[in-house]
């Protein structure tokens, strides 16, 4: 049995929604290890095994870990001045437009209603559209197009429109 990107993405979604600290998925020729750790993000990797390696593999796990330094919010973010900060719900690649040929979902000055598309975040070839949570005007775009964003990282600032 082989795993597709969709299978791995589904596994990661299930893990992300749970309170598990570590999950190990082991098939005949693939082992995926995902661990939570404060201050780091663990990127799971699949390592193919030769038929003679399973016992050796069990004794000495071979998984790749890449630490991603958490990026703190810019110093001038202040939601208490009447604006709403839209934060990333996941770690992934931030895209301002549906495709490279299309215009951005929103720009600074765009008027949005709750439920309007603001951007998309790609994780393992799966795109999640991030929606506005409130009505207002986009006054700030914090992330750059095609930039890696972390969970909780500010993406947009939306301020209520004054009548």
């Amino acid at each position: 049995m082989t795993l597709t990107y969709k299978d791995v993405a589904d596994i990661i979604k299930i893990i992300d929604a749970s309170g598990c600290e570590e999950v190990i998925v082991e098939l005949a020729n693939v082992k995926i290890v995902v661990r939570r750790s404060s201050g780091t993000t663990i990127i799971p990797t699949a390592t193919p095994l030769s038929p003679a390696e399973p016992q050796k593999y069990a004794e000495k796990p071979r998984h790749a870990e890449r630490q991603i330094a958490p990026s703190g919010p810019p110093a001038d973010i202040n939601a208490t001045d009447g604006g709403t900060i839209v934060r990333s719900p996941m770690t992934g690649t931030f895209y301002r437009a549906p495709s490279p040929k299309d215009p951005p979902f929103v720009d600074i000055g765009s008027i949005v209603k709750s439920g309007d598309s603001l951007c998309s975040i790609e994780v393992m070839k799966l795109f999640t559209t991030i929606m506005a949570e409130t009505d207002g005007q986009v006054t700030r775009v914090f992330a750059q197009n095609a930039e890696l964003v972390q969970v909780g990282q500010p993406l947009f600032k939306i301020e209520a429109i004054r009548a």
Side-chain angles (χ1 to χ4, degrees), residues 43-144:
I43 308 297
T45 60
T47 307
L49 304 174
S50 69
E53 284 191 33
Q55 288 298 334
K56 183 172 139 184
Y57 188 79
E59 295 166 12
K60 185 179 177 186
R62 294 183 204 161
H63 63 279
E65 291 185 3
R66 184 176 76 179
Q67 293 190 3
I68 301 172
S71 58
D76 60 344
I77 293 178
N78 185 3
T80 60
D81 63 1
T84 300
I85 302 297
V86 177
R87 297 180 183 275
S88 177
M90 63 192 73
T91 297
T93 305
F94 170 85
Y95 291 106
R96 294 195 59 202
S99 76
K101 298 176 186 174
D102 293 329
F105 289 105
V106 295
D107 281 313
I108 293 175
S110 295
I111 305 298
V112 296
K113 295 188 187 283
S114 181
D116 286 354
S117 299
L118 298 173
C119 66
S120 63
I121 297 179
E122 181 254 334
V123 179
M124 297 184 72
K125 307 295 182 206
L126 295 173
F127 290 83
T128 301
T129 302
I130 307 305
M131 309 289 195
E133 300 168 359
T134 184
D135 297 349
Q137 183 174 24
V138 176
T139 58
R140 239 357 246 282
V141 179
F142 295 106
Q144 299 296 316

